[in-house]
Amino acid sequence: MIVEDKEIILLKVSGQDKPGVTAGLTSILANYDAIVLDIGQADIHDTLSLGILFEIKSGSSSGPVLKDLLFKAYELGIKVKFIPITIADYEIWVKTQHKQRYIINILGETLTAVQLSAVTRIMSDQNLNIDAIKRLTGRVSIIEKEEFPRSCVQLSVAGHIEDKNSMTASFMEISRTLNVDISFQEDNMYRRNRRLVCFDMDSTLIQTEVIDELADLAGVGEQVRAITESAMNGEIDFSESFKQRMALLEGLSEDVLKTVAENLPITQGAHRLMKALKYYGYKTAILSGGFTYFGHYLQKELGIDYVHANELEIIDGKLTGKYLGEIVDGEKKAEYLKAIAEKEGIHINQTIAVGDGANDLPMLNLAGLGIAFHAKPTVKESASTSISSLGLDGVLYLLGYHDRHIDMMEELP
């Protein structure tokens, strides 16, 4: 194939962003039958950064096209720079497109230069190259205070990770010391097409452990709370802890269940998240070691599709301290996640699981994306991704949604 009569030129454009810049420049290229090999644009505070890599016949065409581009730039009040690219360098660049690609999200109430520097330094040490950065949260006033401040940037990176365990450990240390969340995902077809999101209930969808509240009303709060904490930290078997706690609730009146349900403290961002997931066609599920009574209440409140939890045994209006059916422990949660995915015709890599306790780890590890939400330290260490600085709606940023996508949905009835 003859390529000697071709020239490749990178056109770099900067200046104040305004309508017609891209149209004006590409119209010049069109006059000379240029082929656009690559194009990219970013806008920060109305300042434009545009790059167009184009191919044109060498000789009589190349000189005039550069001159015309310069004249058009002058008319538009922008600056342009031309960088010639050799065929050999272009071919090398083409081959790099086959490198493994990843998406890294950095989330926090605010993002500081210290946080960004620490995260990107780790990436540099692993020879990962950033080829795109996108802000997913809207612009924030520095005068008016946000009720729930949130910031998220998404980095598209490419390269071969030299030591994934070391990189993950470094990210976790940065997250702990600098109060920032770091999500790391492979940029594959499944990341772009998640379809099912499964949630733990207690301390995830709601900011309490219901069994602890019931225990307080039964006068055995301290005993049950100690067992709950030990179970969530993975110190004792969940099923055994569940039986111990249930036995302590014997004799509690059924009437208190309704009162507790009506006063459940729903986690910040849960309504925003669920409305968005429903609008964008996701299936949702509660997979809980708690109780179906409260799961069904949240199902109506939040529009959840599936609920799987433990069934309280109630006789003569009182809790017997026993349960009906199988205990929904960690392994059972993972089984339900898989079963719902199969029923809906969803590949397991298209699923997301969100939870906080040790009994959530089986489903977090099974799902295509497992998110430890405000989780216990042992859970954060074992999960692939965690959110500790934002509310539940932070999950939307890990799916790649921008605030404008969410705000548009919130304006609908």
Side-chain angles (χ1 to χ4, degrees):
M1 179 179 179
I2 299 175
V3 296
E4 288 80 2
D5 64 340
K6 304 290 186 182
E7 287 188 48
I8 299 176
I9 298 170
L10 173 60
L11 169 63
K12 298 181 71 174
V13 183
S14 62
Q16 184 179 2
D17 194 14
K18 64 186 74 173
V21 172
T22 303
L25 296 174
T26 53
S27 67
I28 300 297
L29 295 176
N31 291 337
Y32 291 90
D33 294 325
I35 296 174
V36 176
L37 300 173
D38 196 17
I39 186 169
Q41 179 174 312
D43 178 85
I44 300 178
H45 197 62
D46 289 333
T47 299
L48 172 70
S49 178
L50 169 65
I52 304 176
L53 185 67
F54 65 92
E55 174 192 301
I56 195 167
K57 290 182 179 180
S58 59
S60 60
S61 295
S62 59
V65 71
L66 301 186
K67 182 182 70 173
D68 287 355
L69 287 169
L70 282 169
F71 277 126
K72 178 57 70 174
Y74 178 77
E75 289 178 7
L76 294 168
I78 57 176
K79 295 179 180 180
V80 295
K81 182 178 180 180
F82 305 108
I83 301 175
I85 306 295
T86 67
I87 299 295
D89 285 343
Y90 175 76
E91 290 301 312
I92 291 173
W93 176 77
V94 168
K95 290 182 173 61
T96 65
Q97 302 308 297
H98 299 295
K99 287 184 178 179
Q100 183 66 52
R101 306 190 67 81
Y102 305 93
I103 294 294
I104 296 177
N105 290 86
I106 308 174
L107 307 90
E109 290 189 349
T110 58
L111 293 182
T112 68
V114 170
Q115 294 167 335
L116 291 172
S117 174
V119 174
T120 54
R121 173 56 57 188
I122 297 302
M123 294 160 53
S124 176
D125 291 343
Q126 292 288 334
N127 288 321
L128 292 175
N129 184 63
I130 303 171
D131 55 26
I133 300 177
K134 181 191 297 184
R135 187 192 72 256
L136 296 181
T137 43
R139 298 182 178 95
V140 179
S141 171
I142 60 175
I143 298 175
E144 299 178 5
K145 298 299 182 183
E146 293 280 329
E147 182 179 5
F148 300 115
R150 47 184 177 255
S151 295
C152 177
V153 293
Q154 176 180 285
L155 283 64
S156 174
V157 303
H160 173 71
I161 300 175
E162 296 183 356
D163 188 340
K164 187 174 182 179
N165 290 336
S166 172
M167 185 181 73
T168 301
S170 297
F171 281 161
M172 288 186 62
E173 178 63 17
I174 292 170
S175 178
R176 184 183 64 81
T177 58
L178 299 182
N179 191 32
V180 65
D181 294 320
I182 306 162
S183 166
F184 178 82
Q185 304 177 59
E186 287 190 21
D187 189 10
N188 55 32
M189 61 179 287
Y190 298 117
R191 186 195 73 83
R192 300 168 182 270
N193 194 29
R194 310 288 191 197
R195 304 312 314 150
L196 168 66
V197 190
C198 297
F199 298 90
D200 174 47
M201 181 170 65
D202 298 60
S203 295
T204 300
L205 278 177
I206 55 176
Q207 294 179 306
T208 188
E209 293 286 333
V210 170
I211 198 167
D212 292 347
E213 294 200 21
L214 296 178
D216 286 337
L217 295 171
V220 291
E222 289 188 12
Q223 296 165 264
V224 168
R225 195 166 275 105
I227 299 171
T228 299
E229 182 69 15
S230 185
M232 291 300 99
N233 285 327
E235 296 168 357
I236 60 175
D237 176 70
F238 177 83
S239 295
E240 180 57 35
S241 74
F242 180 77
K243 294 174 184 178
Q244 293 178 19
R245 289 177 289 170
M246 283 297 300
L248 292 168
L249 297 180
E250 183 179 359
L252 184 65
S253 172
E254 179 183 10
D255 295 338
V256 304
L257 301 182
K258 184 173 185 293
T259 300
V260 171
E262 290 175 345
N263 291 280
L264 290 175
I266 296 176
T267 300
Q268 175 204 325
H271 283 96
R272 186 174 189 246
L273 169 62
M274 294 304 176
K275 188 172 183 179
L277 292 177
K278 187 176 184 65
Y279 178 79
Y280 288 112
Y282 290 80
K283 291 294 182 179
T284 55
I286 291 175
L287 306 181
S288 173
F291 305 113
T292 54
Y293 185 96
F294 305 98
H296 288 141
Y297 179 87
L298 288 174
Q299 182 177 31
K300 294 178 181 178
E301 175 72 16
L302 298 173
I304 304 289
D305 295 300
Y306 294 91
V307 174
H308 293 287
N310 295 296
E311 186 76 32
L312 292 165
E313 183 181 69
I314 301 173
I315 297 177
D316 296 331
K318 294 184 181 298
L319 276 64
T320 66
K322 298 179 182 180
Y323 56 92
L324 303 174
E326 295 183 78
I327 294 175
V328 180
D329 58 7
E331 295 303 323
K332 199 66 180 175
K333 288 186 180 187
E335 289 179 22
Y336 280 131
L337 185 154
K338 185 177 180 181
I340 295 171
E342 290 178 351
K343 178 180 177 180
E344 294 289 343
I346 295 171
H347 192 284
I348 197 67
N349 287 337
Q350 294 176 274
T351 66
I352 299 172
V354 186
D356 74 296
N359 65 319
D360 295 313
L361 281 173
M363 73 172 182
L364 296 184
N365 293 329
L366 175 64
L369 175 63
I371 303 172
F373 180 76
H374 289 260
K376 312 301 184 289
T378 53
V379 180
K380 289 181 67 173
E381 291 173 5
S382 302
S384 60
T385 300
S386 66
I387 295 178
S388 297
S389 60
L390 300 181
L392 263 178
D393 51 343
V395 171
L396 293 169
Y397 304 127
L398 304 189
L399 297 175
Y401 289 105
H402 190 285
D403 271 348
R404 63 175 174 270
H405 303 135
I406 308 167
D407 294 340
M408 175 190 71
M409 170 274 306
E410 288 186 313
E411 292 173 359
L412 298 175

